[in-house]
């Protein structure tokens, strides 16, 4: 039996990649002063139906009636949960709030490259500050996060846009307020649709697709100037491209919107976000009127991107190697010294080392084979020389005899010598 379409089994090698990725997510968020939170994976379906929190996601909900006759849905994204949680207790937190989450989301999507039905999403949101400085802080975090994986300006770019410019366009071209969502969805999908389809969908609005193309190609976005100046001051301007072609598919965005795109193998969105200044007020009937800006990125798209970019892949491989399941393997050369080996194993584990040894009697050659395949950097031979032991560094076969009592100190000095013993 296989997992359902769009769902994954994570074997240990997959989970090691996930841990590497999530570790970097958390580090990046914390460098910007963000604190972690989580909410439930199952929510009332109404949360996604309430004004503004829906958009295209409503058609992708995993929803059902539970045994208590409640209409519930697996969360397709975390932003509505974040908004719900903050509106409930917003007076308890000094503003602005910087919150991040690493959580599983579910969307009944058509399966395609990097798109799954169950995926892990990383979200960072800054709540309670409406300034371009807050936008810049969140976008910088996204750029730094991608850079921390060894990705550079040749690998990704952030396309930056402003929904306000599109609202001005709609006013100018007589698009009714109630039809704004529908219109923006067409713009959002335009890049992926054949031109005839765009033309057909735009016909009821009386707008030609050429008019849209013209607007995207030539419109200035003056509102972005302070944000761009902020990113320039941080030395991050080269990563950002103003581009009105981005509007984002979710209904709740109100101002600046952005998407990170992979540049190597076709332009694919890898992360997206923007400003949603009315969502919290709408969810709380006005009692928590807090502006917010944030982004989300999924694990599947990011892992695909790392595979495509040589520097990032080399960094990942090195990190996974350094994080091997076993650092030190005890080779028991003489069974009469098994209890000494057990003593040593526990002592080294107590010092924080990841230690392995054979559970049954085995030939010495086989034990060295296990040491290599488990990724150990050192083998320690316990045998007739006890209380002396022989330490072998597996990368260059360096050997040294030591009293076992001095081993812990020797190993930490070896780590200090920076020889592949990173934990
Ligand atoms: P989103 O654009 O729907 O935005 O998703 C953000 C990212 O989540 C995508 O760029 C992609 O990396 C990942 N993602 C989305 N759907 C899937 C899927 N089916 N399979 C794999 N990965 C996926 C949001 O979700 C907003 N809530 C982000 C946000 C936070 N805006 C403000 N704060």
């Amino acid at each position: 039996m296989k997992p359902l379409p769009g769902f994954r089994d994570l074997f240990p090698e997959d989970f090691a990649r996930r841990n590497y990725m999530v570790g970097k997510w958390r580090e990046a968020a914390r460098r910007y002063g963000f604190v972690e939170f989580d909410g439930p994976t199952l929510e009332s379906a109404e949360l996604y139906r309430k004004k503004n929190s829906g958009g295209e996601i409503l058609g992708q909900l995993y929803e059902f009636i539970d045994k208590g006759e409640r209409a519930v849905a697996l969360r397709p994204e975390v932003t509505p949960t974040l908004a719900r949680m903050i509106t409930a207790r917003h007076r308890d937190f000094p503003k602005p709030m910087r919150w991040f989450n690493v959580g599983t989301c579910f969307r009944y999507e058509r399966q395609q490259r990097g798109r799954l039905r169950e995926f892990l999403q990383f979200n960072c949101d800054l709540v309670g500050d409406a300034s371009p400085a807050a936008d810049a802080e969140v976008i910088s975090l996204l750029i730094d996060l991608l850079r921390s994986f060894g990705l550079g300006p040749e690998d990704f770019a952030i396309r930056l846009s402003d929904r306000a410019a599109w609202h001005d366009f709609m006013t100018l071209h007589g698009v009714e307020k109630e039809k704004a969502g529908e219109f923006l969805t067409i713009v959002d999908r335009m890049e992926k649709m054949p031109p005839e389809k765009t033309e057909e969908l735009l016909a009821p609005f009386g707008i030609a697709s050429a008019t849209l193309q013209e607007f995207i190609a030539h419109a200035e976005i003056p509102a972005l100037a302070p944000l761009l100046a902020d990113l320039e001051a941080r030395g991050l301007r080269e990563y950002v491209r103003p581009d009105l072609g981005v509007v984002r598919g979710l209904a709740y965005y109100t101002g600046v919107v952005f998407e990170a795109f992979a540049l190597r193998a076709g332009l694919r969105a890898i992360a997206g976000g923007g400003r949603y200044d009315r969502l919290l007020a709408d969810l709380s009937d006005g009692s928590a009127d807090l502006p917010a800006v944030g982004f989300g990125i999924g694990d599947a798209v990011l892992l695909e991107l790392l595979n495509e970019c040589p520097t990032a892949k080399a960094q990942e491989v090195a990190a996974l190697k350094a994080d091997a399941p076993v650092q030190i393997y005890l080779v028991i050369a003489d069974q009469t010294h098994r209890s000494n080996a057990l003593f040593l194993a526990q002592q080294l584990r107590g010092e924080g080392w990841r230690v392995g040894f054979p559970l049954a009697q085995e030939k010495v050659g086989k034990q060295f084979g296990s040491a290599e395949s488990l990724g150990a950097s050192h083998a320690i031979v316990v045998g007739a020389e006890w209380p002396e032991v022989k330490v072998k560094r597996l990368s260059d076969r360096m050997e040294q005899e030591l009293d076992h009592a001095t081993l812990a100190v020797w190993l930490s000095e070896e780590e200090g010598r920076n020889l592949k013993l990173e934990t």
Side-chain angles (χ1 to χ4, degrees), residues 366-396:
K366 189 165 178 219
Q367 296 185 51
F368 272 102
S370 304
E372 299 269 2
S373 66
L374 290 166
S377 58
H378 291 68
I380 295 168
V381 184
V382 181
E385 301 82 12
W386 186 268
E388 297 273 300
V389 291
K390 200 185 286 170
V391 185
K392 285 196 181 191
R393 191 162 61 210
L394 298 177
S395 58
D396 59 2

Side-chain angles (χ1 to χ4, degrees), residues 85-358:
M85 287 169 64
I86 292 181
T87 53
R89 278 190 50 194
H90 66 102
R91 287 193 186 82
D92 296 346
F93 306 105
K95 313 294 177 305
M97 300 161 61
R98 294 163 180 252
W99 283 19
F100 79 93
N101 172 256
V102 176
T104 305
C105 296
F106 302 84
R107 295 185 193 180
Y108 197 90
E109 286 213 46
R110 198 168 53 81
Q111 222 187 318
Q112 47 183 314
R113 191 159 164 229
R115 294 275 148 174
L116 296 163
R117 290 181 177 169
E118 180 189 37
F119 58 98
L120 196 68
Q121 205 188 44
F122 172 53
N123 278 270
C124 292
D125 291 89
L126 203 156
V127 179
D129 188 318
S131 72
D135 302 338
E137 187 75 341
V138 164
I139 293 170
S140 302
L141 167 44
L142 174 57
I143 296 171
D144 261 352
L145 166 78
L146 294 171
R147 294 203 305 185
S148 75
F149 286 96
L151 299 166
E154 63 290 350
D155 301 314
F156 76 93
I158 312 280
R159 296 167 76 197
L160 191 60
S161 178
D162 188 356
R163 278 224 176 156
W166 278 106
H167 282 287
D168 292 347
F169 177 94
M170 290 189 282
T171 309
L172 191 67
H173 291 83
V175 177
E176 292 160 34
K177 261 212 161 93
E178 310 76 68
K179 296 268 177 191
E182 190 186 322
F183 178 80
L184 291 175
T185 306
I186 301 170
V187 180
D188 180 53
R189 300 212 180 125
M190 201 162 67
E191 278 175 9
K192 293 175 219 137
M193 284 192 300
E196 319 79 70
K197 183 77 188 160
T198 311
E199 208 70 65
E200 180 193 320
L201 292 172
L202 285 173
F205 294 94
I207 300 171
S209 73
T211 314
L212 286 191
Q213 306 285 10
E214 179 91 346
F215 178 65
I216 292 170
H218 300 297
E220 298 273 309
I221 325 176
L224 295 182
L227 168 54
L228 293 173
D230 186 315
L231 294 171
E232 176 90 52
R234 295 170 192 245
L236 299 177
R237 178 65 183 81
E238 66 175 319
Y239 289 93
V240 182
R241 305 175 181 178
D243 182 346
L244 281 170
V246 168
V247 295
R248 307 272 299 130
L250 293 158
Y252 48 64
Y253 293 115
T254 51
V256 163
V257 283
F258 52 90
E259 279 191 343
F261 274 79
L263 297 178
R264 276 182 192 265
L267 215 60
R268 291 190 324 277
I270 47 177
R275 183 159 276 292
Y276 50 102
D277 286 348
R278 288 197 294 274
L279 179 62
L280 280 88
D282 285 345
L283 279 179
S284 62
D285 293 325
S287 71
D289 191 0
L290 291 167
V293 61
F295 72 84
I297 181 165
D299 62 341
V301 266
L302 184 56
L303 290 173
E304 289 238 359
L305 182 64
L306 299 186
N307 286 341
E308 285 162 15
C309 304
T311 312
K313 191 66 199 172
Q315 182 185 309
E316 182 201 319
V317 169
L320 294 183
K321 199 169 169 204
D323 197 35
V326 163
Q327 297 167 297
I328 295 164
Y329 196 87
L330 301 186
V331 172
I332 307 176
D334 176 348
Q335 282 301 309
T336 57
H337 287 281
R338 188 170 186 84
S339 52
N340 289 328
L342 294 178
F343 169 78
L344 195 54
Q346 291 313 114
Q347 191 199 21
L348 294 177
R349 285 170 173 167
E351 298 280 336
W353 298 103
R354 302 191 290 273
V355 179
F357 60 86

